[in-house]
Amino acid sequence: MKYFYFLLLSFLLFSKVIYTQWTAQSSGVSTHLYSVYFVDENHGWSCGTNGVVLRTTNSGSNWSLVPSGTSEILLDIFFFDINEGIFVGQNGTIKKSSDGGLTWYSITTGTTGNFTNMSFLDNNRGWTCTTEDEVFQTTDSGNSWLLISNVPTTNILQKIRFIDANTGWICTQINGEIWKTTNGGNSWSYKYETASNKSLLEIEFINNDIGWAVGQDGIIIKSTDGGENWSQQTSGTVYSQFGCFFYDINHGWTVGDEEHIIRTSDGGDNWIIDRTGNVFELYDVYFLDNNFGWAVGYDGTILHTDNWGGFPFTLATWMNEIVVEDSSGTEASEVLTFGQHSDATDSIDSLLGEYELPPPPPALIFDARFNLPTNPIVSSFIDYRNSSKNEIIWKMQFQPDGMGYPMSFTWDSTAFPEGTFYLKDLINGNFVFLNMKNQSSYTLTEQAITSLLISYRGEC
C-alpha cells in the first residue's frame, strides 16, 4: 500500500521525471526486466520474465515488445551490432537473432541448466555459465556452445566475466565466493569469500587487475591485483546491489533495492547515492559512455540518463544514513541521508540529490522523511546542511504501517565528524536522549512519539 500511494502521488506531482538525473521511459510491460544492452545511442534491447524481449531504435523514447518464442525467464541479452544478438535464460534457453531482435531462433546446448549471463570478448569468443556449476564457451558468435568445465562449488554461479582469452572470474550467490581462471575457463581456482557469507550478485573487471563485485546488504568490494585480494568499499547503503557496470577505471554505477543507483567517479573511493523515486528493485545498468545510460528492473521499469546519472558536484564534507523501520522490518523501511556540504542550503538542493516529497500518506501506511527547516515546511529523504554550520538540528518524521510500533533506527556510529551527535525527542530529550557515536541503533516503543531530532554541535 505504501508503494502504490507513493507512486500515485509521485506521478501526479512529478510526471515522468522522477528525479533530476534519471527519467522514466515507458516499457509497455509489467514484467520484471533483468538485462539491458545498447550498441549505440539509438539501438538497444532488454529482456526479462515470461520471455519478454524489448527493442528500441530511438534511445528508449519508444520500446516495442518483440516475439521471443519462449516464456522462460531471460536473464541476459547482448548484441554484437544492430543486427546480430543473443539472449540466455532459464532451463537451457539460448536464442539468437540476425535481424535486430525482430525474430529469434533457438541454439541447442545440451543442458537444462539455468543460464545467468554472458561475457563476450569480441564478435566470436564468449562464455556463459549456469547456476548449477557449468561453464560453456563459444568461438562462433554463439551459434554453438561447448561445455568446457564445471566450477568446483555448489553455491550457485551468479555472474561470469572475462577480460581476455585466458582470464575470467565467476561470483556465487551463496557464500559470496569468487573463482578465477587463467586458461580460458578450462579450470577454476578459489580466490575469495565474503565476510558473513554475503551473496555476490555481479562481478565486473575493467582490465586484468582492477575489478569490483557487488551484492547483499550493499556490499561493494574491489580488487587491484586481478582478483587475488579484495577490499571492501563504503557504498553508503544497506540495500542489496544486483548489478554494476564500469565504463573505465573511474566511472561506475551499481543498482539495487529501494530506488538506489550508486555511482562513482574515482574508482569507488567515494560512492554517491542517487534516489530515482522508483521504490522497487533495479536489476541491471548499462552505459555507452560516461554520460549515456539505462537501468532496468521490477515491473517493467526503465530509467535513462544522459548526464552520467547526476550533476557534477563536489563530495559532501561528511554524510551518514539512518535506516528507519517499523515492526514489519525491511518490508516497511526507508533510508534517510543527512550530512554537510559546502553548497548546501536549508531548503531543497536538487544538485545534491534532494527533492521535495509529496504530502505524507494516511495513517497505517509506512512513511519516514526529513522535514526541512523551511517556511512552509518541505520534506525530503535527503537533508544536507552547509558545511559552515557548527550547530544543526535534523528533524525526522515517521509513522508505521498496520503492524505498528516499535520503530527501529540504525546508523553508522563511526561515520560522524568531530563534535557531538544526539538522537532525542522534541521535548528536551526527556524520553529519548542518546549519544549516536556510542551506539548504532535505537528501538522506539512509545507510540506517542512520531518525530525525533538529530542534534549536532561541532567542536569550537
Side-chain angles (χ1 to χ4, degrees):
M1 185 68 179
K2 169 201 171 189
Y3 296 146
F4 173 77
Y5 179 83
F6 183 83
L7 285 172
L8 176 62
L9 282 178
S10 296
F11 176 79
L12 293 174
L13 291 174
F14 304 121
S15 186
K16 281 190 174 181
V17 180
I18 56 179
Y19 184 60
T20 50
Q21 286 78 21
W22 291 89
T23 302
Q25 295 182 333
S26 176
S27 68
V29 299
S30 58
T31 51
H32 307 337
L33 300 175
Y34 292 116
S35 178
V36 62
Y37 191 81
F38 275 72
V39 295
D40 57 36
E41 290 189 5
N42 293 312
H43 297 86
W45 299 264
S46 183
C47 66
T49 54
N50 298 331
V52 162
V53 174
L54 301 176
R55 175 178 184 260
T56 181
T57 58
N58 57 8
S59 301
S61 296
N62 302 101
W63 289 88
S64 58
L65 179 65
V66 297
S68 68
T70 181
S71 60
E72 297 290 350
I73 296 175
L74 307 180
L75 294 174
D76 196 22
I77 194 164
F78 175 82
F79 268 73
F80 303 97
D81 51 42
I82 63 173
N83 293 312
E84 188 178 10
I86 187 169
F87 65 66
V88 298
Q90 291 192 343
N91 295 315
T93 300
I94 299 184
K95 287 198 168 192
K96 281 199 68 179
S97 174
S98 58
D99 58 8
L102 295 176
T103 60
W104 298 85
Y105 57 92
S106 296
I107 303 296
T108 300
T109 62
T111 183
T112 57
N114 298 316
F115 290 112
T116 59
N117 79 311
M118 300 169 284
S119 181
F120 275 89
L121 287 182
D122 50 39
N123 286 351
N124 295 307
R125 295 173 297 174
W127 294 261
T128 184
C129 64
T130 66
T131 54
E132 286 70 15
D133 63 9
E134 302 166 308
V135 176
F136 289 79
Q137 183 184 37
T138 180
T139 56
D140 58 6
S141 304
N143 290 302
S144 62
W145 294 84
L146 176 66
L147 175 62
I148 59 172
S149 63
N150 295 84
V151 181
T153 182
T154 59
N155 288 329
I156 303 181
L157 306 188
Q158 182 70 20
K159 292 294 174 67
I160 187 169
R161 286 290 182 268
F162 271 77
I163 198 67
D164 59 35
N166 295 310
T167 311
W169 301 263
I170 283 177
C171 64
T172 70
Q173 185 180 127
I174 297 176
N175 290 345
E177 297 172 354
I178 292 177
W179 295 76
K180 181 179 181 180
T181 180
T182 56
N183 58 9
N186 290 300
S187 63
W188 297 83
S189 300
Y190 171 85
K191 294 299 178 183
Y192 179 81
E193 184 174 304
T194 58
S196 303
N197 304 125
K198 292 182 179 180
S199 299
L200 290 178
L201 304 175
E202 179 74 278
I203 190 166
E204 176 83 307
F205 270 78
I206 202 69
N207 58 37
N208 285 81
D209 296 317
I210 300 176
W212 297 259
V214 304
Q216 182 183 350
D217 298 336
I219 186 172
I220 300 178
I221 56 176
K222 181 180 182 179
S223 176
T224 58
D225 59 4
E228 298 295 324
N229 297 280
W230 295 82
S231 58
Q232 187 160 341
Q233 297 187 319
T234 301
S235 68
T237 182
V238 297
Y239 286 113
S240 295
Q241 301 301 297
F242 299 118
C244 73
F245 180 84
F246 271 78
Y247 178 72
D248 55 32
I249 62 173
N250 292 314
H251 296 87
W253 302 260
T254 78
V255 294
D257 269 341
E258 291 284 336
E259 69 181 271
H260 277 59
I261 297 179
I262 310 176
R263 55 191 163 93
T264 180
S265 59
D266 56 14
D269 290 340
N270 296 280
W271 290 90
I272 301 168
I273 297 176
D274 288 332
R275 293 179 177 272
T276 66
N278 169 56
V279 298
F280 298 120
E281 295 96 343
L282 296 170
Y283 299 124
D284 193 28
V285 60
Y286 182 78
F287 272 73
L288 279 174
D289 54 31
N290 288 348
N291 295 302
F292 223 69
W294 293 261
V296 298
Y298 187 94
D299 205 24
T301 297
I302 301 179
L303 306 178
H304 171 57
T305 182
D306 58 8
N307 64 352
W308 87 287
F311 298 114
F313 58 88
T314 55
L315 295 172
T317 305
W318 66 269
M319 60 85 66
N320 206 335
E321 286 186 333
I322 187 163
V323 181
V324 185
E325 300 177 356
D326 69 8
S327 59
S328 301
T330 57
E331 292 299 314
S333 64
E334 188 59 71
V335 179
L336 304 180
T337 303
F338 63 106
Q340 288 183 276
H341 193 286
S342 59
D343 298 326
T345 69
D346 286 347
S347 188
I348 294 291
D349 300 305
S350 60
L351 293 183
L352 304 185
E354 301 175 2
Y355 58 93
E356 183 176 355
L357 296 176
L364 303 183
I365 299 176
F366 177 85
D367 186 68
R369 59 185 59 206
F370 282 120
N371 286 336
L372 277 59
T374 56
N375 188 14
I377 292 175
V378 296
S379 301
S380 177
F381 291 135
I382 305 172
D383 187 4
Y384 284 111
R385 303 296 180 84
N386 195 274
S387 302
S388 63
K389 293 194 173 184
N390 207 41
E391 294 186 13
I392 301 173
I393 298 290
W394 287 273
K395 183 177 180 181
M396 290 185 293
Q397 175 183 318
F398 44 84
Q399 64 185 44
D401 66 11
M403 298 298 292
Y405 283 66
M407 302 287 289
S408 66
F409 305 83
T410 308
W411 59 90
D412 184 352
S413 61
T414 66
F416 293 112
E418 296 295 325
T420 60
F421 285 84
Y422 289 96
L423 183 68
K424 59 185 184 180
D425 62 72
L426 274 63
I427 311 175
N428 297 320
N430 290 335
F431 298 97
V432 179
F433 190 83
L434 60 96
N435 188 331
M436 298 180 74
K437 286 188 169 184
N438 289 343
Q439 61 191 80
S440 58
S441 64
Y442 175 71
T443 300
L444 175 68
T445 58
E446 177 52 62
Q447 299 183 27
I449 297 179
T450 59
S451 293
L452 288 175
L453 304 178
I454 300 173
S455 175
Y456 160 64
R457 182 187 294 269
E459 292 188 344
C460 299

